[in-house]
Amino acid sequence: LGGAAVDAGDYETARAYLGEALDYEPAQALFLEATYLPAAALQEAGDPNGALELFETILGYRDADERIRSIRYAQAIELMNSRDYAAAAEAFEALGDYRESAEEALNARYGYAMQLLDNGEYTEAIAAFEALDGYLSSANAIQRAQYGLGPDALAEGDTAAAAEYFRLAGDYEDAP
């Protein structure tokens, strides 16, 4: 019955029948195919989450592992495009050396640090930029964040801290 369901394209029914006979080697192969084919169809139809759900149950079968990485990479790109840089960085890092994931993870970490800086979260931005170890214009961004901390310290009456922040800002804008 499972084989007939595969032939008819009724993969859900096929998996139900074949799942009960997985100790039989031909049933195992049909089960894998009955999972792979609808997963590939879901991916082609633009349902990456549905495809992932199925592909992840058949790791190592045909090109399921490559398709999983491809879907996850595309999802990480979507996170970058939606400016969810922290989640994008994690997604790219989870992909290891797949495609340009390492470089994209750095770009995402930089984007996250810039968001912190733009939101006035200067201390967090400094830490995020320092973790990037000079990537892109991190050094300049750190100076900008130090400069941003100066007025906050002045407003709190801490002139010594303000002077230190402005000193660390170097020649950023009009740092005294």
Side-chain angles (χ1 to χ4, degrees), residues 69-170:
R69 286 189 299 273
S70 176
I71 291 167
R72 292 197 184 286
Y73 188 84
Q75 290 174 329
I77 293 290
E78 287 178 26
L79 289 168
M80 280 282 282
N81 291 340
S82 68
R83 303 180 66 134
D84 189 349
Y85 297 118
E90 289 178 21
F92 283 122
E93 288 166 357
L95 287 165
D97 63 356
Y98 183 74
R99 293 187 189 168
E100 295 87 29
S101 292
E103 182 70 18
E104 292 295 345
L106 282 172
N107 286 333
R109 292 275 175 220
Y110 184 84
Y112 176 67
M114 286 302 294
Q115 277 183 332
L116 292 170
L117 183 58
D118 291 342
N119 291 336
E121 299 173 52
Y122 301 121
T123 303
E124 295 84 357
I126 290 168
F129 282 117
E130 286 175 343
L132 289 169
D133 197 28
Y135 183 72
L136 294 177
S137 60
S138 294
N140 186 315
I142 290 171
Q143 286 183 314
R144 180 177 156 202
Q146 295 288 3
Y147 180 85
L149 287 169
D152 293 344
L154 281 176
E156 294 173 7
D158 191 347
T159 56
E164 180 63 9
Y165 290 134
F166 287 130
R167 183 190 70 75
L168 291 171

Side-chain angles (χ1 to χ4, degrees), residues 8-89:
D10 185 359
Y11 301 116
E12 190 171 332
T13 300
R15 285 193 308 276
Y17 282 123
L18 294 166
E20 295 179 16
L22 290 177
D23 54 340
Y24 180 60
E25 195 169 316
Q28 293 172 8
L30 281 172
F31 182 84
L32 290 170
E33 195 67 4
T35 305
Y36 179 88
L37 291 173
L42 287 169
Q43 184 180 12
E44 299 305 317
D47 181 359
N49 293 325
L52 269 177
E53 186 177 324
L54 291 174
F55 281 133
E56 288 177 338
T57 67
I58 56 169
L59 295 174
Y61 183 69
R62 290 176 52 169
D63 65 346
D65 295 359
E66 171 62 24
R67 286 179 178 257
I68 290 168
R69 286 189 299 273
S70 176
I71 291 167
R72 292 197 184 286
Y73 188 84
Q75 290 174 329
I77 293 290
E78 287 178 26
L79 289 168
M80 280 282 282
N81 291 340
S82 68
R83 303 180 66 134
D84 189 349
Y85 297 118

